Amino acid sequence: AAALTPRDLADLRAMLLSEADWLLDEYRLAAALTGADNRPESNMWNGALLCRAATLYPDAPRAADYLEKAHRFFINAISVPADAACTRLVAGRAVKDRFVGANLFDSYACNHHGYMNVGYIGITLSNAAMLHFFFRGLGQPAPESLYHHVDDVWPLFKACTFPDGRLMRVGGDTRVRYCYCQDYAIPIWLMMRDRLGDTDVEAFERGWIAQAAREQADNADGSFLGRRLAAMADASPLYYTRLEGDRAVTLSMGACWRRRFAEFADVTPVPPAPPLNEWHDAHHGACLVRGPRRHASWVWGAAEPPQGLCLPPGGSDLAEWQNNLAGHIAGPGAMNSAVVLRHAEACFPGGFVTCGRLQWKSEKLYAEGEPDVDSAVEDLAVAALPDGVTVIGLQRCRTLGRVFLREAKGLFLQVPNDLYNGCRRSYAWAGGGVALSGRDGTASAWTVPGSWLSVDGRLGVVGLYGAPLTILHPAEARITIRAYPWNAHARAAGGCLFVDQVCMVCEDAIRPYDAGTTLFDVGFAVLAGAGPQDAERFAAANSQARVDTGHPDVRVVRTQAADGRRFLLAANFADAPVCLDLARSGDRLARLTAAGSQGIAAAASALTLAAGQAELFVLV
């Protein structure tokens, strides 16, 4: 403020009060779980502006009105359905008396921009953090309403953060990887260090700053993102500049607050709360389990649905969200995506099982009058075994009519191979392997001999049936921002991340397919933290995993898990219930996912699977 002239200060006051008056008189405060009225972040930042105006200019004629509406915005920022009946007093009134609507589900899932959006939970918290430190600078407490549910949503956001600070976007990301929402994690971490004494955030902050510094060092011009987003800078100078600015702003915030409020790092730390290791949200079909060896998730209501993860906790550089572990179909259109037709999931201690159906479509085709195409239907089931290591996947995909496709890929494990892993990946398999350099501008493909491979000695992949494993190394960066009807030219900005793709069936060039063609019918396992010996051992123990049921729409695999226990995953891809008798050599099945209960139910050998249902059993 010392550098501002009296005219500057008068203009600042006029601007802030004008905006505050507009928010007071013209802006409709809204909140909703989904759709255009889902506004957690804008309610938080609008409340913050009103609160700043009331605090900086207490002599303003409407200062008290600004503060009251700020309370209303804050109560309806991180708001949940239960708030409608909440009688807790905040700023002199019951929460329910200021409640307009819920922006987050009772699970604290956030459906922003139409998907399970971890990033916008962060953006909402970051705006709370900026106001938190505004009041720290004034030496006075912030309004209690600012922190409404801040501490409640923090465990989920923290659970979706790798130890090195990179966000684990379990619901995906439609935009540029590791930019806007990732950058604004810095204010959140510092608020939680200051507010809760959570010392875990120290490692998050150090880890992310190291990654940002590494990328900046890779750019000869000193920019933060110049090399990775060079094509975007040409396609949209506006958007590129915005992303550069986000990183500069958030790093500056951290540097400023660390300097101004050094004492917050010196207070006696409070032991961090127990981690959130199991989480489920029914609306998004979202499941998450975390442990010392594996982070596993599956989300149907994802940014590019669906998507799964199975990674070691220290494997943030292995994470990619786009249709990961869900197979992938792309036609010749500018936009290619999947619509989730149905899904069901169940969670149990240490794992989950889920099953659903997708319809792939290709839109905005090139020829005059060429219509959009519904390309294929895919059924899939996924189970995170309660061994803390393994995820099993079953996929079947068939064309709906005669179509042209430029990609048809089963499994579809996307492995980033870019700056953040030093542009080098090593793949080991029985009797050999290959090292692939990211950003090398060359395309290659490798068919893996045998049924297993290990990525960098940290992630195992085993084919259980259906097709050999293939590693595709594209010449270009394949991860782009998501195309929408209003932005079908998204690829013009180039890819923002190079990836290798591990597939079972790997068609990567345009070709025709007749109606009813089975594009892939595969089963696989992904093993977190698995080196070559681990992957080879699992493959040998599960060389006869598939169980023939005699039913064309049922897929069953019997597996020996990493902990030695035996499991059976059964999936019914049909549109009607199927009764199965799975007795074999005296094996009996103990149900892990009985409806309405958890744990082990009565032993049995026969079962009925509902249409579109998968169940996981332990063999006893």
Side-chain angles (χ1 to χ4, degrees):
L4 300 179
T5 68
R7 174 65 182 272
D8 293 333
L9 293 172
D11 288 346
L12 177 63
R13 175 187 173 108
M15 180 183 71
L16 288 176
L17 294 186
S18 174
E19 180 71 8
D21 286 339
W22 184 81
L23 288 172
L24 202 60
D25 298 333
E26 305 294 336
Y27 188 89
R28 181 178 66 91
L29 197 164
L33 290 172
T34 62
D37 281 346
N38 179 257
R39 303 181 187 180
E41 88 299 358
S42 56
N43 284 354
M44 185 67 82
W45 73 49
N46 286 328
L49 186 138
L50 286 165
C51 191
R52 283 188 178 90
T55 303
L56 291 173
Y57 311 115
D59 61 326
R62 309 178 75 185
D65 296 332
Y66 298 158
L67 189 56
E68 172 54 32
K69 192 160 187 181
H71 292 318
R72 293 183 64 214
F73 273 117
F74 292 148
I75 293 298
N76 293 282
I78 307 175
S79 53
V80 297
D83 289 343
C86 180
T87 58
R88 182 172 62 89
L89 293 179
V90 177
R93 295 177 61 186
V95 168
K96 67 183 182 67
D97 293 337
R98 290 192 178 102
F99 178 76
V100 171
N103 280 314
L104 277 68
F105 292 82
D106 284 325
S107 66
Y108 289 100
C110 176
N111 186 274
H112 197 66
H113 293 315
Y115 67 93
M116 168 56 206
N117 200 327
V118 170
Y120 269 81
I121 296 174
I123 292 302
T124 306
L125 287 171
S126 74
N127 279 278
M130 288 179 236
L131 195 65
H132 170 89
F133 284 106
F134 168 81
F135 280 99
R136 281 286 261 123
L138 296 177
Q140 64 186 70
E144 181 187 0
S145 57
L146 173 65
Y147 303 110
H148 182 59
H149 290 312
V150 162
D151 297 350
D152 299 321
V153 77
W154 168 240
L156 175 59
F157 188 76
K158 183 179 177 182
C160 293
T161 307
F162 286 103
D164 64 1
R166 201 179 323 202
L167 296 188
M168 185 168 66
R169 301 280 304 249
V170 296
D173 186 3
T174 61
R175 310 306 287 173
V176 179
R177 302 302 189 255
Y178 313 126
C179 284
Y180 174 52
C181 296
Q182 175 69 63
D183 286 325
Y184 280 89
I186 289 177
I188 304 166
W189 298 331
L190 294 181
M191 175 176 67
M192 291 309 182
R193 180 68 178 89
D194 192 32
R195 177 170 168 76
L196 301 181
D198 192 330
T199 53
D200 287 345
V201 304
E202 301 281 357
F204 297 164
E205 183 189 18
R206 286 194 304 271
W208 175 242
I209 290 173
Q211 292 174 80
R214 180 176 190 170
E215 180 160 20
Q216 186 177 26
D218 190 55
N219 300 319
D221 61 359
S223 64
F224 293 115
L225 306 163
R227 182 175 177 185
R228 181 157 64 101
L229 301 186
M232 177 176 286
D234 182 64
S236 177
L238 173 66
Y239 194 59
Y240 171 79
T241 304
R242 173 261 177 95
L243 296 180
E244 281 281 320
D246 286 329
R247 185 150 302 175
V249 165
T250 53
L251 291 171
S252 298
M253 285 178 186
C256 176
W257 297 341
R258 282 289 188 183
R259 184 170 58 249
R260 291 186 66 191
F261 311 120
E263 72 276 9
F264 80 68
D266 299 327
V267 298
T268 303
V270 177
L276 179 67
N277 286 332
E278 297 182 2
W279 177 79
H280 171 242
D281 176 71
H283 177 82
H284 297 92
C287 305
L288 169 66
V289 290
R290 301 168 72 252
R293 299 180 65 188
R294 177 193 67 186
H295 289 177
S297 66
W298 188 267
V299 179
W300 292 98
E304 293 166 291
Q307 68 161 59
L309 292 175
C310 178
L311 298 169
S316 76
D317 64 293
L318 290 164
E320 172 47 35
W321 332 117
Q322 185 189 72
N323 300 135
N324 201 56
L325 299 183
H328 186 67
I329 302 296
M335 296 167 51
N336 292 277
S337 60
V339 176
V340 177
L341 301 180
R342 67 186 184 193
H343 68 83
E345 61 281 341
C347 300
F348 45 85
F352 59 81
V353 61
T354 186
C355 187
R357 175 174 289 174
L358 316 173
Q359 185 163 298
W360 290 93
K361 60 181 180 178
S362 188
E363 302 172 272
K364 308 295 182 186
L365 279 74
Y366 189 85
E368 292 181 27
E370 191 172 5
D372 297 342
V373 176
D374 292 327
S375 305
V377 64
E378 180 183 352
D379 294 289
L380 61 163
V382 177
L385 303 187
D387 65 348
V389 172
T390 311
V391 166
I392 302 293
L394 313 176
Q395 300 171 350
R396 182 189 66 176
C397 187
R398 298 170 292 178
T399 57
L400 288 167
R402 179 171 169 77
V403 293
F404 282 87
L405 299 176
R406 57 181 170 83
E407 291 185 71
K409 298 170 180 175
L411 170 52
F412 202 59
L413 170 65
Q414 302 228 67
V415 182
N417 195 350
D418 210 310
L419 171 78
Y420 291 112
N421 62 284
C423 294
R424 187 171 179 84
R425 289 291 183 204
S426 63
Y427 299 88
W429 53 70
V434 65
L436 298 176
S437 298
R439 295 184 175 180
D440 62 2
T442 62
S444 58
W446 300 79
T447 299
V448 175
S451 62
W452 65 268
L453 65 82
S454 175
V455 185
D456 287 349
R458 295 186 293 153
L459 191 69
V461 185
V462 177
L464 299 177
Y465 68 83
L469 294 168
T470 299
I471 303 168
L472 178 68
H473 178 70
E476 71 283 354
R478 287 285 176 99
I479 303 304
T480 66
I481 65 174
R482 179 172 176 174
Y484 288 98
W486 59 87
N487 184 28
H489 59 284
R491 289 181 178 271
C496 58
L497 196 70
F498 284 81
V499 291
D500 299 331
Q501 297 173 347
V502 180
C503 305
M504 297 176 72
V505 176
C506 188
E507 298 292 342
D508 198 55
I510 195 78
R511 55 165 290 195
Y513 296 84
D514 289 333
T517 299
T518 296
L519 299 172
F520 48 83
D521 188 347
V522 299
F524 58 86
V526 181
L527 313 172
Q533 291 183 341
D534 303 310
E536 183 177 30
R537 189 162 42 245
F538 185 95
N542 294 284
S543 60
Q544 302 296 321
R546 185 169 181 178
V547 177
D548 184 6
T549 66
H551 194 291
D553 295 316
V554 175
R555 299 293 181 271
V556 176
V557 292
R558 183 183 281 110
T559 60
Q560 180 175 311
D563 61 3
R565 287 185 291 170
R566 294 185 303 148
F567 294 90
L568 185 141
L569 173 62
N572 177 17
F573 295 155
D575 294 323
V578 173
C579 183
L580 299 174
D581 185 352
L582 296 172
R584 190 201 72 157
S585 304
D587 284 344
R588 291 174 65 78
L589 310 177
R591 191 185 303 266
L592 276 173
T593 57
S597 66
Q598 291 184 339
I600 305 297
S605 62
L607 67 145
T608 298
L609 288 176
Q613 179 186 12
E615 291 206 42
L616 183 69
F617 301 86
V618 62
L619 291 168
V620 296

